[in-house]
Amino acid sequence: MSDLAHIGHVELLTPKPEESLAFFRDVLGMEEEAHEGQSVFLRGWGDYQRYSLKLTESDRAGLEHTALRAWSPEALERRVAEVEAAGLGLGWIDGDLGHGPAYRCADPDGHVLELYYDTERYSPPEGLRPALKNQPQRYLPRGAAVKRLDHVNLLAADVAAARQFAQQQLGYRLYEQVILDDGTEAGAWLSLTIAAHELIYVRDAYGVRGRLHHLAFWVDTREEVLRAADVFVDAYVPIEAAPSKHAVAQGFFLYGFEPGGNRIEVTTGGYFVYDPDYEPVVWSESERARGQAWGVETVHSFHTYGTPVVPGDEEVVARTPVYGPS
């Protein structure tokens, strides 16, 4: 068992705060939990903590930080010691809405991480109390009705260095990776649990550090992913990749862009790893080039676009088809 339990929440930046909030609330179906300063805190109906998404107004899109919850105060101290020994610590903060003191650090690519333990469990108001005591909130079928934050995919100039940090300093297990013909590591799928992936690093096509590829939110069935695609269409959300199945990690997916420009996935499926001696699956360059699990070709922008946007990719979202009135 790792000292870290799971990804607790992320802070996403948007230059279009009102439009982005409407997307996460009305299209993804998340609940507004709180407002504080320039930030809105949102949750999926299955999140046991107060929120999983902190949406913050900014002059650019991208990811401000990813927060990881430890199993215990002692586990948190052990991970902090490992990070400090690696020289990547940024220091303690007092905490944020819904959680206690957190230790900030950065991976070798510059992505900011927060490690914490103390947290507030969600207490639903009368209108959101569930009928069943073993779920945190009543299910509301608004929009895609996402259940929880599932995983984070980060772009990295040096995937190997970022992956090694995640394994050695944070305690992640490596389940799958892509190795190119020249030996370059182009992708790594890692997890703190038996889930096939919770944290992904993929090579940044432009060699830029610290960018976001996408955030993924979970629904329970493939039918709900298909329904989310219909919701996207009716909301005029740019769909980058229509529902299909990944070869790597076997997740069923839908990709689109929220109004601030960040790529968002609605996902389900994948597999669990129970084997304590599991050997990571390694994909070659030619195998990766075949596309998705059912032979669907991967769209070009999926290999290049990320946030913050770099020169040359500014028009990706504008070029992505939007069904409805022009």
Side-chain angles (χ1 to χ4, degrees), residues 55-281:
L55 184 65
T56 299
E57 181 177 358
S58 175
D59 60 357
R60 63 178 179 85
L63 190 66
E64 178 64 21
H65 78 271
T66 300
L68 311 174
R69 191 177 184 217
W71 278 103
S72 68
E74 296 77 17
L76 175 58
E77 293 293 340
R78 287 193 294 268
R79 285 307 100 198
V80 168
E82 290 290 336
V83 170
E84 288 186 334
L88 293 169
L90 300 175
W92 288 91
I93 62 170
D94 291 336
D96 199 353
L97 181 76
H99 72 82
Y103 187 80
R104 291 173 66 90
C105 60
D107 67 16
D109 207 70
H111 299 97
V112 176
L113 304 164
E114 285 185 4
L115 314 181
Y116 72 101
Y117 171 70
D118 291 328
T119 191
E120 292 184 40
R121 293 182 176 273
Y122 179 62
S123 179
E126 181 66 34
L128 292 176
R129 289 180 185 173
L132 301 177
K133 63 192 299 183
N134 57 358
Q135 64 185 41
Q137 179 196 302
R138 174 186 177 189
Y139 173 81
L140 293 178
R142 183 179 65 246
V146 297
K147 189 173 187 178
R148 58 175 172 81
L149 176 67
D150 184 69
H151 64 265
V152 177
N153 186 318
L154 303 175
L155 293 170
D158 187 339
V159 171
R163 185 260 305 163
Q164 290 165 5
F165 168 80
Q167 288 183 276
Q168 296 168 11
Q169 275 68 52
L170 302 181
Y172 276 86
R173 294 180 70 189
L174 174 67
Y175 288 155
E176 301 198 34
Q177 62 186 155
V178 175
I179 304 294
L180 303 182
D181 294 343
D182 64 2
T184 300
E185 186 170 351
W189 284 255
L190 305 111
S191 185
L192 293 166
T193 71
I194 61 172
H197 63 314
E198 296 174 315
L199 174 65
I200 306 168
Y201 284 105
V202 292
R203 187 178 62 166
D204 193 303
Y206 297 103
V208 179
R209 300 172 69 246
R211 297 205 299 154
L212 171 69
H213 190 274
H214 72 266
L215 300 181
F217 293 87
W218 177 270
V219 292
D220 283 332
T221 68
R222 289 185 181 183
E223 182 60 38
E224 289 176 276
V225 177
L226 298 176
R227 178 176 175 274
D230 286 334
V231 171
F232 276 27
V233 167
D234 279 335
Y236 308 132
V237 173
I239 294 177
E240 181 186 31
S244 190
K245 180 181 176 180
H246 284 298
V248 179
Q250 299 181 28
F252 197 73
F253 64 79
L254 164 70
Y255 289 98
F257 298 109
E258 59 88 21
N262 296 293
R263 179 189 284 111
I264 302 297
E265 178 185 11
V266 177
T267 188
T268 195
Y271 60 87
F272 293 145
V273 178
Y274 294 99
D275 184 356
D277 302 315
Y278 186 80
E279 290 293 328
V281 173

